[in-house]
Amino acid sequence: MRHILTVTVENEPGVLSRVAGLFSGRGFNIESLNVGPTLDPGVSVMTITTEGDEQIIEQIVKQLRKLITVIKVVDLTDLKSVLREMVLLKVNANDANRAEILRTVDIFRCKVVDVSIDELTIEATGNYEKISAIVGLLTRFGVKEISRSGMVAMKRSIQN
Amino acid sequence: MELSGAQILLECLKREGVEVLFGFPGGAVIDIYNELPNSSLKHVLVRHEQGAIHAADGFARASGKVGCCLVTSGPGATNTVTGIATAYMDSIPVVILTGQVPTPLIGNDAFQEVDIVGITRPCTKHNYLVKDVRELAHVIRQAFYLARSGRPGPVLVDLPKDVMQVKTKFIWPEDVKMRSYNPNVKPHAGQIKKVAQLIRDAERPIIYAGGGVITSQGHEALTWLAQKLHIPVTATLMGLGCFPGNDKLWLGMLGMHGTYAANMAINNADLVLAVGARFDDRVTGKVSTFAPKATLVHIDIDPTSIQKNVSVHVPLVADCRLALEALKDELAPSLTEYDFEGGHLPWVSKVLAWAKEHPLTYHPSETTIKPQSVVEKLYELTNGDAVICTEVGQNQMWAAQFYRFKEPNCFLSSGGLGTMGYGFPAAIGAQFARPDKMVIDIAGDGSIQMNIQEMATSVCNNLGVKIVILNNGYLGMVRQWQELFYKKNYCETCMDAQPDFVKLAEAYGATGFRITDPADLERVLKQALDTPGTVIVDVRVEREENVYPMVPAGASLTDMLLV
Ligand SMILES: Cc1ncc(C[n+]2csc(CCOP(=O)(O)OP(=O)(O)O)c2C)c(N)n1
Ligand SMILES: [Mg+2]
């Protein structure tokens, strides 16, 4: 099962390799990893998407907590949370299909952020399912390039 | 007053209680060495950096304090990696100080530059690169705190040359605070009550103790629980010494080369108290058949150890000593209400019957020396009071099986990593920690050659370390596997062309003995132990003797090959 972990870490050189090395060294899988600063310059937050059975996820969480530079680990999977990923897609566009692409963009409330004679660059934001759906639909036009931010996440204020 | 980085470092080491620094100089650490004569620290010059880290590790295991070593950048640092991994696997507190090229050169592939922090990230508890001299005292303080607290382990501090040279005001940080590190040490009261009740209710309990009992000094509380509540005790290699080896409730080691009684008892117990142990594959055999009838209680300070290899019923994250003492307090009043002795009598009798049925044994011989008999003789001659270090292989297993350890911190062996070449430098470290004790390295002819250069260190420091080589002319443990599981294809395990160990001892200025006849064993061993200074005893033993019992890798603990 897919789990989303929010990992609060000391903002120090090497902290990313400690976390990444833990996953590779112990054979855990990282689907996506996103790191960014917080309002406290000494602290960064990582959002890690990973997969595994309960026992593996328990190990991942404990092993992360064991790292000296990790301050806090929260598994958002069983919590109500907001999950977002952003993706940029460069899609082949010609006169025959441009309208169709734009309609898709509209339906999913995506944005066209760059245009040329034969390409459209599209920005999409959403949760995992929405991003998968958009990518799925646009592939048939021919996706030339794709760049994904990885998931970022936040626990909702009201949990029940 | 302003001090240089090197001066601050040495002052911090002194304040952290470092007595001996095992080290080897080089360009990146000359500034530190330059200050050394002005410090009260004792420095021991090893002959290879692997010797320095193992000696620091041996010092730590024998003393219970943090061991410390100092090496130069590049090859000096990489030479310590095997020793760091050894200490990491066995949770031994050591601080490794490595030189580094000056900060402006870092990343430029400078001469003798290596990213030792990157290399050792997965085999240290934590590591640091000190980029600013103003952080130095804090980092050293944190390094020692991390090394000794919680689940101990090696911590490396990388020290660029310019940081050692530059001066700053020295401020000793009175305490260490780390918001991201709070080892949970106190046992949860509710869990203690629960475990105590399980113990009261158990009919066939057993204690399975590991190195955590020794690290936490929980041996007294453990011994109290076992003896007062009549619970048989088995231990891992790392746990040997946590319970008196001559007590009738002592079953010996469990696992791959564990005793018949210990493995049978684990298999039939209704309650297993795992304390400071981690369910290693060498201990559990096939995990799915480990302790099939038991409720498993797991006490460990490291939450990652719990539910990692085996799913346990009652986890208890705590310092082992504190947990055992809490159990003692909880159970002491029950001694009057419950008849533990009578209640456990059928079980204890059964366990003792297993021990009698298949004790640790071997076929004696009048013509060749049996390696097991050498360990037995050493036990008798030292009255069980020596610090025993081992190399890795058959020698290690026979030492673990046939020496009956009385107290903790007296059996030093590379358990988790199985590092050949560990024993002798560790013995040097142990001798510095325990000048009052006889220190013996029970060695194999293969392993001893991996750090034999430390003979010079031992001789030059007038250490009385005794190396007893169980010389079978083979990489014996690998040969045993080849014999049993690879149709006797003894590929590259026969050690032809060995040095003359007696002459080798003499070449280093030590004393050498050779024993080939069983009739001479006791007399010459005694003579060797009575000889002052460093001694090598080359004991020519039965070449193809095997270690038994043996549970083949991946088999259930009850599938033992017996003598
Ligand atoms: C550094 C290292 N290399 C290889 C091994 C694999 N190994 C395990 S036991 C062993 C044989 C050791 O031979 P020896 O020291 O003569 O001991 P014996 O088993 O004969 O008592 C070997 C090669 C190891 N444990 N460590
Ligand atoms: Mg050998």
Side-chain angles (χ1 to χ4, degrees):
Chain A
M1 185 182 159
R2 177 177 299 107
H3 284 245
I4 317 251
L5 308 177
T6 300
V7 186
T8 312
V9 299
E10 298 282 355
N11 183 13
E12 282 178 14
V15 62
L16 179 59
S17 38
R18 285 184 206 282
V19 171
L22 165 63
F23 278 79
S24 61
R26 295 192 178 266
F28 302 142
N29 138 73
I30 299 185
E31 203 167 278
S32 78
L33 188 156
N34 173 291
V35 205
T38 64
L39 296 182
D40 177 349
V43 172
S44 300
V45 168
M46 295 183 179
T47 311
I48 301 175
T49 318
T50 181
E51 235 185 85
D53 60 32
E54 285 312 307
Q55 192 262 345
I56 300 230
I57 299 293
E58 182 182 333
Q59 263 301 306
I60 293 177
V61 170
K62 286 172 167 181
Q63 292 285 357
L64 282 168
R65 288 190 178 133
K66 190 171 160 180
L67 291 178
I68 307 296
T69 34
V70 168
I71 301 166
K72 197 171 147 192
V73 183
V74 180
D75 184 350
L76 291 179
T77 314
D78 294 330
L79 297 171
K80 290 204 172 119
S81 45
V82 185
L83 306 175
R84 288 290 179 274
E85 179 170 10
M86 185 169 122
V87 57
L88 294 173
L89 296 136
K90 195 173 279 168
V91 186
N92 284 325
N94 51 40
D95 294 341
N97 67 14
R98 185 172 286 108
E100 176 69 18
I101 295 174
L102 290 173
R103 214 171 9 254
T104 313
V105 165
D106 227 33
I107 294 168
F108 281 96
R109 276 179 280 155
C110 309
K111 264 194 264 175
V112 175
V113 289
D114 191 33
V115 191
S116 75
I117 304 178
D118 53 0
E119 292 169 353
L120 282 172
T121 301
I122 294 156
E123 172 196 314
T125 309
N127 61 17
Y128 188 84
E129 287 72 29
K130 178 175 164 187
I131 297 292
S132 302
I134 296 166
V135 173
L137 282 170
L138 292 178
T139 340
R140 66 196 163 106
F141 303 111
V143 172
K144 283 185 150 176
E145 238 182 288
I146 182 163
S147 180
R148 298 176 69 152
S149 66
M151 196 72 75
V152 291
M154 195 165 281
K155 194 175 101 177
R156 285 190 189 273
S157 306
I158 296 170
Q159 282 295 314
N160 35 36
Chain B
M1 198 183 64
E2 298 221 313
L3 297 181
S4 71
Q7 290 169 326
I8 292 175
L9 172 72
L10 295 175
E11 180 59 28
C12 289
L13 297 185
K14 214 176 79 190
R15 294 193 189 207
E16 286 294 347
V18 176
E19 296 156 31
V20 198
L21 188 57
F22 300 92
F24 201 86
V29 286
I30 297 192
D31 299 276
I32 303 170
Y33 276 88
N34 196 44
E35 283 301 329
L36 208 51
N38 304 324
S39 153
S40 59
L41 276 179
K42 175 161 179 59
H43 180 272
V44 175
L45 179 66
V46 295
R47 297 307 189 263
H48 185 298
E49 289 87 353
Q50 190 183 351
I53 173 74
H54 287 328
D57 169 315
F59 182 93
R61 293 192 206 217
S63 65
K65 299 176 192 161
V66 181
C68 192
C69 68
L70 168 64
V71 300
T72 194
S73 67
T78 53
N79 270 347
T80 63
V81 173
T82 300
I84 296 175
T86 304
Y88 185 67
M89 287 294 268
D90 290 345
S91 311
I92 305 304
V94 261
V95 171
I96 305 97
L97 305 166
T98 53
Q100 183 52 281
V101 302
T103 41
L105 295 186
I106 290 179
N108 291 3
D109 299 323
F111 178 63
Q112 294 197 327
E113 177 183 358
V114 75
D115 175 13
I116 196 64
V117 167
I119 289 173
T120 59
R121 215 169 264 140
C123 61
T124 49
K125 180 167 174 183
H126 196 52
N127 58 18
Y128 297 88
L129 167 64
V130 183
K131 281 193 177 155
D132 183 336
V133 71
R134 287 167 301 179
E135 293 168 5
L136 181 60
H138 271 285
V139 168
I140 298 296
R141 198 100 169 82
Q142 286 188 1
F144 278 83
Y145 170 60
L146 287 175
R148 68 165 74 92
S149 62
R151 177 176 181 173
V155 179
L156 181 140
V157 184
D158 203 17
L159 303 163
K161 188 175 169 85
D162 55 326
V163 175
M164 291 297 97
Q165 291 169 333
V166 68
K167 291 194 165 190
T168 191
K169 192 156 172 250
F170 172 57
I171 303 164
W172 173 246
E174 280 308 329
D175 48 24
V176 217
K177 273 197 218 91
M178 299 171 76
R179 62 173 160 190
S180 54
Y181 178 72
N182 296 301
N184 180 17
V185 291
K186 286 211 193 74
H188 183 273
Q191 290 295 84
I192 288 289
K193 287 207 159 56
K194 197 162 165 188
V195 175
Q197 195 52 43
L198 285 168
I199 296 177
R200 287 186 201 102
D201 294 343
E203 285 173 9
R204 303 185 309 279
I206 182 169
I207 295 174
Y208 146 42
V213 178
I214 294 185
T215 312
S216 67
Q217 297 181 299
H219 55 284
E220 279 172 11
L222 181 132
T223 305
W224 186 96
L225 285 172
Q227 291 177 341
K228 294 285 181 198
L229 309 177
H230 298 268
I231 305 176
V233 182
T234 179
T236 66
L237 187 77
M238 294 301 299
L240 295 179
C242 72
F243 186 73
N246 47 15
D247 193 289
K248 84 169 178 40
L249 290 164
W250 171 243
L251 304 181
M253 190 167 71
L254 82 166
M256 181 174 275
H257 293 297
T259 63
Y260 180 76
N263 287 343
M264 291 301 286
I266 280 283
N267 195 256
N268 288 283
D270 66 353
L271 177 68
V272 172
L273 296 169
V275 194
R278 59 186 175 88
F279 296 86
D280 176 84
D281 53 277
R282 286 291 186 265
V283 161
T284 59
K286 190 177 177 185
V287 223
S288 56
T289 57
F290 181 78
K293 301 164 195 163
T295 302
L296 294 176
V297 173
H298 191 184
I299 304 174
D300 203 285
I301 197 162
D302 181 357
T304 68
S305 285
I306 293 173
Q307 316 291 24
K308 182 171 66 182
N309 300 334
V310 165
S311 118
V312 298
H313 307 98
V314 187
L316 180 48
V317 176
D319 174 272
C320 292
R321 179 172 63 82
L322 296 182
L324 290 165
E325 285 174 355
L327 283 173
K328 176 180 165 183
D329 292 345
E330 187 68 29
L331 286 159
S334 307
L335 288 178
T336 47
E337 298 162 43
Y338 288 75
D339 175 15
F340 288 105
E341 181 166 16
H344 295 166
L345 188 65
W347 168 238
V348 171
S349 316
K350 193 165 189 183
V351 170
L352 294 181
W354 281 320
K356 213 161 165 193
E357 200 179 324
H358 293 289
L360 281 174
T361 187
Y362 56 94
H363 299 296
S365 157
E366 284 184 2
T367 48
T368 53
I369 300 175
K370 290 295 182 137
Q372 301 91 333
S373 72
V374 181
V375 180
E376 281 180 335
K377 274 284 164 288
L378 285 173
Y379 173 68
E380 286 167 31
L381 290 170
T382 58
N383 194 23
D385 282 328
V387 172
I388 300 291
C389 304
T390 77
E391 300 296 338
V392 168
Q394 295 182 313
N395 58 85
Q396 177 184 34
M397 291 302 123
W398 286 319
Q401 290 179 331
F402 288 91
Y403 201 94
R404 293 178 164 256
F405 297 91
K406 288 184 185 169
E407 43 176 17
N409 307 96
C410 288
F411 179 65
L412 281 53
S413 192
S414 169
L417 202 66
T419 309
M420 289 173 69
Y422 167 80
F424 179 37
I428 291 176
Q431 189 73 81
F432 276 103
R434 299 299 306 267
D436 56 315
K437 283 257 190 189
M438 166 79 72
V439 179
I440 302 175
D441 178 31
I442 297 184
D445 47 305
S447 304
I448 193 61
Q449 296 185 62
M450 286 213 174
N451 274 314
I452 192 72
Q453 76 287 342
E454 300 308 327
M455 282 297 288
T457 313
S458 187
V459 169
C460 135
N461 286 282
N462 296 315
L463 299 184
V465 172
K466 312 291 181 247
I467 301 172
V468 178
I469 306 176
L470 305 181
N471 189 345
N472 49 18
Y474 277 115
L475 298 172
M477 186 56 94
V478 184
R479 185 209 56 74
Q480 174 170 343
W481 282 53
Q482 289 171 330
E483 177 188 332
L484 298 175
F485 313 115
Y486 293 86
K487 300 187 179 143
K488 289 204 179 191
N489 180 13
Y490 293 172
C491 182
E492 299 293 331
T493 41
C494 182
M495 296 292 267
D496 300 321
Q498 273 181 336
D500 178 330
F501 287 110
V502 174
K503 282 193 187 151
L504 191 134
E506 286 161 2
Y508 276 108
T511 314
F513 294 91
R514 175 166 298 117
I515 318 178
T516 52
D517 186 342
D520 297 334
L521 182 63
E522 179 160 355
R523 181 180 52 83
V524 183
L525 266 188
K526 181 166 177 357
Q527 195 186 346
L529 297 185
D530 289 342
T531 303
T534 307
V535 172
I536 296 183
V537 195
D538 176 13
V539 191
R540 298 298 173 88
V541 298
E542 175 77 58
R543 294 203 59 199
E544 300 200 11
E545 187 73 9
N546 285 343
V547 180
Y548 291 117
M550 177 170 194
V551 179
S556 301
L557 285 191
T558 45
D559 295 339
M560 284 169 271
L561 308 174
L562 299 164
V563 174

